[in-house]
């Protein structure tokens, strides 16, 4: 933010006050920008038919018509994404734990985990939908596929990143493998693992949406409603779906950013106080963790 | 207490680190291993600690109760000071309440009586090193190995930590073996200094330090101390040049 550094500090204004007003500005500016955009959109769409460009008012009206429908669809999509994320956390960290203990297992699992990751989920989804009867299970499986790898890869790096000297301390005192895992490698892996979870959080939602679009029914989530509305040229309904999906993505991101900061507060650089916003926080994190796995859609 | 005979060590990629190292340490001694950077001092310490196996040679340890302090404090950043010092006792199966009196005593001994709940990130470098010392001494080791623990400290902190280590050694009667590249540190702390040649390192001189058993800050102004330091300096530098 060049405007901040370019302006000299006013005499008499304490550093703390400047910090506060900077933080306030950081929150207010995006909100103001959003409001201006909405205004322009509403004005511009006023003379355009809503099946070409619906105004924000049209979209809101479509939502208010039947909020229960949207709530149900939202719940479906979110359940699939959360279930997939949970499964990815459990299976990803377990696999990383096993791989960190055995090079043989690592050589066995890793290439296939990479294969799973690099194959676009859109290409796998139709097959999964054929083989798995329950559409909800199939969709969860699709979302799990994209969320699994970042957690596996980052947790594995984390488990191997414990301080070498501390490893020596544990050796010197004849620690058991269990003690080493619980007291040293587990906590040491947390910053990396949380980076993985934060990446996976966004990906699980993407996976759920993609799976619903490919499935074309059965789940009745937000993406299904979006596809269905597009057949009827109901553009405002598509807008509702899109905005709900985007808002859910932001919520996932913020919740995981806060959780990550809570867990790492007081000991890890990524949770320092001067890194405040969720968005800023994640950029910082991705920049500092060079070995973290970049998200792939 | 500790002896080794004709130790050699060779790393697969970097070649021979040690050749033909033999020495003996008596109980209660404070021995410094003095040598230039990269002469294999740290490797020797790791062999003696049992963290690595020598390529050839024999090590005879009369005790299993060994503790080690590293060049960095290497504390667990997620745990507070109490839990860091508690670690060795916890690994040995002691409960928190059982361990508490010993930990309190140890933290007082390293002059950190009120920092139980601080996280390492809140401590200065010198304070962190004192926590590392408390962690090493909390099991009442008979042999304390130190790998250039004060190399990264500023001068004032280094001097006060040296005095602290000396006081702890006097009070707790452990045998100490410290790796250092500073002749001044070796002269102040040790009862005997083993001088090593550059890589592949071996011990070529054992120098008994003829100073009073109790070393206060006064010793640093003692002409005898100055003479010992210049001797040690000459020994290290001479071998480096030739």
């Amino acid at each position: 933010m060049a405007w901040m550094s370019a302006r000299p500090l006013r005499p008499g204004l304490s550093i703390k006050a400047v910090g506060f007003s900077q933080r306030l500005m950081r929150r207010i500016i995006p909100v103001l920008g959003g409001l201006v955009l909405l205004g322009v959109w509403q004005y511009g769409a006023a003379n355009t038919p809503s099946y070409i460009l619906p105004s924000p008012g049209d979209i809101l009206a479509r939502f208010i018509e039947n909020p229960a429908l949207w709530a149900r669809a939202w719940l479906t999509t979110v359940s699939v994404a959360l279930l997939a994320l949970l499964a990815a956390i459990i299976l990803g960290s377990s696999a990383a734990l096993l791989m960190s203990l055995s090079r043989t297992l690592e050589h066995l699992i890793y290439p296939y985990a990479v294969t799973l990751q690099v194959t676009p989920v859109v290409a796998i989804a139709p097959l999964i939908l054929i083989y798995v009867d329950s559409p909800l299970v199939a969709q969860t499986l699709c979302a799990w596929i994209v969320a699994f790898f970042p957690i596996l890869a980052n947790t594995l790096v984390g488990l191997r990143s414990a301080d070498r000297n501390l490893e020596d301390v544990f050796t010197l005192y004849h620690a058991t493998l269990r003690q080493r895992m619980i007291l040293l490698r587990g906590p040491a892996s947390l910053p990396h693992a949380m980076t993985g979870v934060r990446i996976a959080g966004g990906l699980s939602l993407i996976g759920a949406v993609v799976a619903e679009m490919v499935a074309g029914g059965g789940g009745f989530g937000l993406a299904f409603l979006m596809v269905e509305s597009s057949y009827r040229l109901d553009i405002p309904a598509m807008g509702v779906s899109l905005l709900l999906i985007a808002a859910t993505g932001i919520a996932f991101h913020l919740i995981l950013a806060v959780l990550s900061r809570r867990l790492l507060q007081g000991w890890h650089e990524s949770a320092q106080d001067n890194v405040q916003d969720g968005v800023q926080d994640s950029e910082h994190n991705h920049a500092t963790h060079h070995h973290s796995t970049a998200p792939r859609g | 207490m500790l002896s080794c005979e004709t130790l050699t060590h060779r790393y697969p990629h970097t070649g021979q680190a040690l050749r033909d190292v033999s020495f003996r340490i008596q109980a209660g001694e404070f021995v410094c291993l003095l040598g230039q950077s990269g002469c294999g001092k740290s490797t020797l310490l790791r062999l003696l600690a049992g963290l690595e196996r020598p390529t050839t040679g024999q090590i005879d340890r009369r005790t299993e109760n060994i503790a080690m302090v590293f060049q960095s404090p290497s504390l667990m950043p997620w745990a507070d000071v109490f839990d860091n010092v508690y670690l060795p006792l916890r690994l040995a199966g002691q409960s928190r309440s059982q361990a508490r009196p010993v930990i309190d005593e140890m933290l007082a001994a390293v002059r950190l009586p009120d920092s139980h709940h601080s996280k390492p990130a809140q401590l200065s470098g010198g304070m962190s090193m004192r926590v590392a010392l408390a962690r090493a001494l909390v099991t009442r080791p008979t042999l304390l190995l130190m790998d250039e623990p004060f190399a990264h400290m500023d001068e004032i902190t280094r001097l006060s930590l040296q005095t602290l280590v000396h006081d702890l050694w006097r009070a707790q009667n452990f045998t100490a073996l410290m790796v250092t590249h500073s002749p001044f540190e070796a002269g102040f702390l040790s009862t005997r200094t083993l001088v090593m040649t550059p890589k592949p390192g071996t011990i070529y001189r054992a120098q008994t330090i003829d100073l009073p058993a109790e070393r206060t800050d006064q010793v640093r102004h003692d002409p005898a101390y100055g003479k010992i330091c210049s001797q040690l300096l000459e020994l290290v530098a001479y071998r480096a040049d030739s």
Side-chain angles (χ1 to χ4, degrees):
Chain A
M1 293 186 190
W3 62 270
M4 284 189 200
S5 49
R7 223 168 48 168
L9 293 183
R10 261 184 290 146
L13 199 63
S14 76
I15 301 283
K16 206 171 178 179
V18 170
F20 178 73
S21 72
Q22 282 186 0
R23 278 209 299 278
L24 202 66
M25 289 304 279
R26 205 155 72 195
R27 302 241 152 117
I28 286 176
I29 285 177
V31 173
L32 282 179
L35 287 176
V36 169
L37 187 73
L38 275 179
V40 171
W41 180 4
Q42 180 73 36
Y43 178 78
N47 300 317
T48 317
S50 76
Y51 56 83
I52 293 175
L53 177 67
S55 70
D58 295 334
I59 293 175
L60 187 67
R62 180 65 89 252
F63 175 74
I64 290 169
E65 255 172 37
N66 194 351
L69 170 78
W70 295 109
R72 252 199 325 274
W74 179 82
L75 205 63
T76 306
T77 305
V78 167
S79 326
V80 167
L82 283 183
L83 216 60
L85 180 62
L86 194 70
I89 291 172
I90 294 170
L91 293 172
S93 51
S94 314
L97 184 72
L98 292 174
M99 285 159 74
S100 77
L101 294 176
S102 151
R103 289 277 171 189
T104 314
L105 268 180
E106 185 185 351
H107 295 322
L108 183 69
I109 300 175
Y110 210 78
Y112 296 103
V114 172
T115 309
L116 205 62
Q117 164 71 9
V118 295
T119 312
V121 69
V122 196
I124 317 175
L127 268 178
I128 292 178
L129 287 157
I130 290 172
Y131 290 130
V132 180
D133 277 341
S134 153
L136 275 179
V137 174
Q139 285 164 18
T140 308
L141 196 60
C142 291
W144 172 82
I145 285 176
V146 286
F148 172 69
F149 188 77
I151 294 182
L152 170 76
N154 283 292
T155 308
L156 185 59
V157 170
L159 285 169
R160 296 215 168 116
S161 70
D163 185 323
R164 295 292 135 211
N165 292 338
L166 268 170
E167 292 274 8
D168 284 344
V169 168
F170 276 68
T171 309
L172 214 54
Y173 294 116
H174 311 290
T176 62
L177 183 62
R178 196 186 140 87
Q179 288 175 322
R180 202 183 280 268
M181 282 296 163
I182 293 173
L183 296 176
L184 176 61
R185 291 188 194 161
S189 74
L190 209 54
H192 294 275
M194 281 316 292
T195 305
V197 170
R198 288 166 60 174
I199 296 169
L203 289 181
S204 66
L205 186 64
I206 294 174
V209 165
V210 167
E212 271 181 37
M213 287 187 158
V214 176
F220 302 110
L222 287 172
F224 168 75
L225 284 186
M226 180 185 260
V227 173
E228 186 265 343
S229 320
S230 79
Y231 294 149
R232 293 185 288 105
L233 280 184
D234 187 351
I235 313 294
M238 289 178 77
V240 178
S241 288
L242 181 62
L243 289 181
L244 284 176
I245 290 171
T248 309
I250 294 169
F252 270 37
H253 177 89
L254 289 178
I255 290 169
L256 290 175
V258 168
L259 183 71
S260 169
R261 208 163 60 222
R262 279 281 153 79
L263 284 173
L264 305 179
Q265 206 151 40
W267 67 275
H268 197 259
E269 295 88 349
S270 68
Q272 292 300 314
D273 285 342
N274 55 354
V275 192
Q276 284 278 337
D277 276 346
V279 178
Q280 293 257 332
D281 201 349
S282 93
E283 279 164 3
H284 170 82
N285 227 341
H286 293 185
T288 48
H289 290 262
H290 298 296
H291 26 244
S292 71
T293 313
R296 296 180 63 106
Chain B
M1 170 62 63
L2 180 70
S3 67
C4 58
E5 241 166 273
T6 56
L7 280 187
T8 61
H9 195 66
R10 176 178 284 280
Y11 285 111
H13 300 297
T14 49
Q16 190 160 16
L18 292 172
R19 63 180 161 95
D20 206 16
V21 176
S22 303
F23 63 86
R24 186 178 294 272
I25 294 175
Q26 307 295 334
E29 272 194 291
F30 196 124
V31 174
C32 277
L33 272 171
L34 179 64
Q36 303 239 326
S37 297
C39 73
K41 315 181 286 283
S42 299
T43 304
L44 180 54
L45 207 65
R46 290 178 61 79
L47 295 181
L48 296 173
L51 293 169
E52 280 178 59
R53 286 180 182 285
T55 310
T56 62
Q58 290 276 319
I59 297 172
D60 182 17
R61 273 189 302 266
R62 294 284 157 77
T63 174
E64 273 303 302
N65 194 358
I66 300 174
M68 193 157 173
V69 177
F70 301 88
Q71 211 171 97
S72 63
S74 291
L75 304 176
M76 300 181 291
W78 52 86
D80 63 14
V81 166
F82 181 92
D83 279 345
N84 268 291
V85 178
Y86 173 41
L87 178 70
L89 301 176
R90 184 174 191 173
L91 292 175
Q94 275 199 37
S95 75
R96 206 172 281 268
S97 52
Q98 256 178 318
R100 191 174 297 277
V102 191
I103 293 169
D104 288 343
E105 190 190 329
M106 225 40 317
L107 283 172
V110 298
R111 294 159 208 164
L112 279 175
D114 306 313
S115 304
H116 289 49
H117 301 299
S118 305
K119 290 273 175 71
Q122 295 167 277
L123 305 177
S124 68
M127 288 163 90
S128 299
M129 193 45 87
R130 283 189 266 161
V131 177
L133 276 169
R135 177 180 69 192
L137 294 176
V138 78
T139 54
R140 304 275 182 204
T142 42
L143 177 62
L144 178 65
L145 303 172
M146 292 172 274
D147 187 2
E148 298 198 52
F150 313 139
H152 298 318
M153 304 289 156
D154 64 83
E155 201 57 38
I156 303 296
T157 310
R158 192 191 338 246
L159 296 185
S160 83
L161 284 171
Q162 286 170 2
T163 310
L164 175 67
V165 164
H166 175 76
D167 293 348
L168 290 168
W169 171 69
R170 295 264 299 167
Q172 302 196 12
N173 296 316
F174 51 83
T175 308
L177 179 59
M178 181 195 250
V179 161
T180 177
H181 59 245
S182 159
F184 309 99
E185 190 161 276
F188 181 75
L189 281 172
S190 71
T191 53
R192 197 156 57 101
T193 292
L194 306 174
V195 187
M196 289 181 73
T197 63
K199 182 184 170 183
T202 189
I203 290 163
Y204 88 102
R205 187 74 171 262
Q207 179 88 21
T208 306
I209 307 298
D210 203 6
L211 286 172
E214 191 185 0
R215 316 268 167 95
T216 59
D217 281 334
Q218 283 305 316
V219 169
R220 298 187 196 278
H221 307 286
D222 189 334
Y225 170 69
K227 203 172 158 197
I228 285 166
C229 290
S230 67
Q231 273 172 357
L232 291 175
L233 186 59
E234 212 164 279
L235 284 173
V236 189
Y238 166 74
R239 287 304 297 216
D241 292 342
S242 60

